[in-house]
Amino acid sequence: MEECKKKILLISNGLALACDIVRKAKEKNIYTIVTDWHDNSPAKKIADENYMVSTADISAMVNLAKCKKVDGVITSFIDSNLENTRKVCETLGCYFYATKEQLEITMNKRKFKDLCKKNNVSVVPEYDIDESFTQEKLVDIEYPVIVKPVDSSGSKGIVICNNQDELISGYSKSLEFSESKGVVIEKLMNLSKPGINLDYVIADGEIILSSVGDLYTYQNDKSLPPLTTGVFYPSIHTNTYLNKVDKNVQKMFKSIGLKNGVLYIQSFYENGCFYFYEMGYRLGGGQSYQVISKINEVNHLEMLIDYSLTGKMCTEEIKSKISPSFDKKGFIYILHIKPGVIKKIKGLDKIRNIKDVVNVMQTYHEGDVIPKSAVNTTTQVFGRIHLVSENKESLINAINKIKEELKIISDDGDSMLIDSFDTRLLEI
């Protein structure tokens, strides 16, 4: 929006994903300030200014915002910063798209699933078990099950359990990662088929489906929970979703008063039914906007920047372009690496020049250490490559070219890159 020019935007968190916020804001001639308590945050390196103010220190954030005369405050990609940023915006009188109550529902897996049930939206079946582990409840469980913290992200604290002993120990492990000390125990769904990733835009009270993608996962070990390794657009189930579920989902989010913002939902698709299990009232770490914006000029990140500074998500012209009916093929290719020290990275420059590659997001660089604790969490993600192609054949060829070119070598001389996605899955 033209009215954003020369305004000052405070970006709460300097993680690698936030570099996108800085770059897009600068494209719009917006002055950028990044703050968090890490002195080496990637987004700080490219912002106009940066500060060592913790995003959890509300009064310090407010004082910084007042001192720098900022026009808006923004955060995204991780749940943990949303409520802090909302409080800062409320104190300053700046725009923030969500209320405290809305965040409490959308950031909590159990509360989100309860909301779905109230609105005739199917969810992954679960078991009502607490720490008492009464035999009366345990006897009805059909294994395997998956145990998750209700309010954690990044795949942390998720455990697959194949029997009662594993469930009891897995429950305790999962509970350690929950701030509110709650877990959900769900049926382990069929992981051999892709799940579904949904993106919505909320603008002036309208809740509009923006994309439906087929979500592919990877399991290094069948005892470990899956990690997302790719998302293909548009999903083969797009029309089914529009016809069967979309209206109920719109009604559901209107029931809690969503007026603006963006959100994503993850679900399974089995036997003609969509089963929701979690969501985020924010941009997802997969950066789906990198693909969507190249297909239909709808950029969710730009919308959130505009809203933070003007209280308006988009123009009516842009709103009219929001649609999950894509005329091109898109793909988010998520690269996972093994623990170790990165000695050499080869091929990224060649990958950037591949015709169908529209964006390369890199989390780690030469010299970085990936700890063993990263295994089977999103901390294991080296980066993401976003592709847009005219057809599936071109897309598959581009992904295979990436596989050929990219080399990530450890200080022991071993390959760190995990071949987690088989392009033959796209031919099915």
Side-chain angles (χ1 to χ4, degrees):
M1 293 182 184
E2 191 71 21
E3 55 263 45
C4 288
K5 284 185 176 181
K6 297 183 180 180
K7 290 196 173 186
I8 301 172
L9 182 65
L10 177 59
I11 300 164
S12 175
N13 204 311
L15 73 170
L17 287 163
C19 290
D20 272 9
I21 304 177
V22 176
R23 294 190 189 102
K24 178 55 68 175
K26 285 188 170 187
E27 280 180 25
K28 297 165 69 66
N29 200 19
I30 296 165
Y31 192 84
T32 57
I33 301 172
V34 172
T35 185
D36 63 20
W37 63 279
H38 300 285
D39 58 7
N40 202 33
S41 295
K44 286 183 172 180
K45 299 174 183 178
I46 62 172
D48 296 298
E49 290 184 42
N50 69 82
Y51 292 91
M52 284 287 292
V53 174
S54 170
T55 58
D57 189 336
I58 308 302
S59 61
M61 286 285 292
V62 169
N63 288 337
L64 174 62
K66 288 180 176 178
C67 177
K68 304 309 297 185
K69 298 180 180 179
V70 306
D71 298 291
V73 186
I74 191 172
T75 193
S76 207
F77 304 112
I78 55 174
D79 284 346
S80 58
N81 252 9
L82 293 176
E83 175 59 11
N84 291 336
T85 306
R86 187 201 66 77
K87 289 178 181 177
V88 171
C89 289
E90 183 179 59
T91 304
L92 293 170
C94 293
Y95 298 107
F96 191 77
Y97 59 84
T99 66
K100 182 178 187 295
E101 293 74 22
Q102 289 165 351
L103 290 179
E104 286 175 350
I105 293 170
T106 56
M107 291 196 302
N108 184 293
K109 296 178 180 67
R110 178 175 290 123
K111 290 181 179 180
F112 168 59
K113 290 179 73 175
D114 287 343
L115 177 69
C116 291
K117 293 172 188 176
K118 289 178 183 176
N119 289 273
N120 297 316
V121 175
S122 298
V123 297
V124 173
E126 63 184 277
Y127 296 95
D128 180 21
I129 303 291
D130 58 31
E131 288 179 273
S132 64
F133 298 114
T134 60
Q135 198 60 37
E136 181 183 356
K137 292 185 176 181
L138 289 172
V139 74
D140 292 328
I141 293 180
E142 294 183 18
Y143 294 96
V145 296
I146 188 164
V147 185
K148 307 174 184 176
V150 296
D151 51 3
S152 179
S153 58
S155 297
K156 296 179 177 68
I158 299 177
V159 187
I160 289 178
C161 305
N162 295 287
N163 54 55
Q164 184 172 308
D165 289 342
E166 289 182 7
L167 173 57
I168 292 172
S169 63
Y171 189 102
S172 298
K173 179 182 176 181
S174 188
L175 204 62
E176 292 175 10
F177 289 87
S178 173
E179 186 176 340
S180 64
K181 297 305 173 187
V183 303
V184 291
I185 302 169
E186 296 177 336
K187 171 186 175 182
L188 184 65
M189 303 293 279
N190 184 355
L191 301 178
S192 66
K193 296 181 180 179
I196 303 293
N197 194 84
L198 306 156
D199 285 292
Y200 278 85
V201 172
I202 309 100
D204 301 319
E206 286 189 59
I207 298 167
I208 312 165
L209 182 65
S210 183
S211 76
V212 185
D214 292 324
L215 188 152
Y216 292 88
T217 59
Y218 160 79
Q219 275 183 293
N220 183 45
D221 186 305
K222 294 299 181 184
S223 66
L224 297 173
L227 293 174
T228 302
T229 189
V231 186
F232 171 78
Y233 299 94
S235 168
I236 59 173
H237 304 300
T238 298
N239 288 334
T240 303
Y241 180 84
L242 278 167
N243 294 331
K244 286 189 172 184
V245 187
D246 181 51
K247 286 184 180 178
N248 276 357
V249 172
Q250 289 184 43
K251 180 183 175 183
M252 174 173 78
F253 287 125
K254 285 181 180 179
S255 75
I256 59 171
L258 300 197
K259 299 296 183 186
N260 291 286
V262 299
L263 61 85
Y264 69 88
I265 303 167
Q266 292 183 335
S267 78
F268 288 97
Y269 179 79
E270 289 188 12
N271 302 318
C273 187
F274 297 85
Y275 297 93
F276 287 12
Y277 59 94
E278 65 179 70
M279 68 163 292
Y281 191 12
R282 55 173 172 80
L283 295 174
Q287 303 160 281
S288 59
Y289 54 85
Q290 292 283 5
V291 170
I292 297 167
S293 62
K294 298 300 187 297
I295 294 175
N296 61 12
E297 299 179 344
V298 174
N299 192 312
H300 301 167
L301 171 58
E302 185 169 5
M303 289 176 169
L304 287 182
I305 291 172
D306 288 345
Y307 184 82
S308 297
L309 294 170
T310 70
K312 185 80 174 174
M313 286 287 290
C314 60
T315 63
E316 289 298 320
E317 180 186 1
I318 292 296
K319 191 189 293 185
S320 69
K321 295 180 179 181
I322 303 171
S323 169
S325 301
F326 295 168
D327 60 0
K328 293 182 174 67
K329 309 302 181 186
F331 194 74
I332 305 172
Y333 186 18
I334 302 170
L335 306 167
H336 298 95
I337 54 176
K338 302 170 187 175
V341 180
I342 299 175
K343 183 177 182 180
K344 194 70 178 175
I345 300 170
K346 300 178 182 179
L348 281 180
D349 287 340
K350 290 183 179 179
I351 289 169
R352 289 186 177 95
N353 289 325
I354 294 173
K355 178 176 66 72
D356 294 348
V357 171
V358 298
N359 182 67
V360 175
M361 183 272 174
Q362 183 179 352
T363 305
Y364 292 112
H365 299 81
E366 290 177 1
D368 286 345
V369 179
I370 294 80
K372 290 184 179 179
S373 61
V375 171
N376 233 73
T377 72
T378 54
T379 309
Q380 208 173 351
V381 173
F382 171 80
R384 299 170 184 85
I385 299 176
H386 301 87
L387 304 99
V388 173
S389 306
E390 292 296 328
N391 52 58
K392 265 192 182 182
E393 182 182 8
S394 180
L395 180 64
I396 290 169
N397 288 339
I399 296 170
N400 285 331
K401 185 68 173 174
I402 292 167
K403 287 172 173 270
E404 291 173 15
E405 296 290 353
L406 185 59
K407 310 294 180 188
I408 305 172
I409 310 300
S410 74
D411 59 352
D412 295 326
D414 298 325
S415 173
M416 298 178 72
L417 191 61
I418 298 170
D419 187 8
S420 59
F421 183 74
D422 187 344
T423 52
R424 288 175 297 182
L425 293 170
L426 295 178
E427 299 171 358
I428 298 173

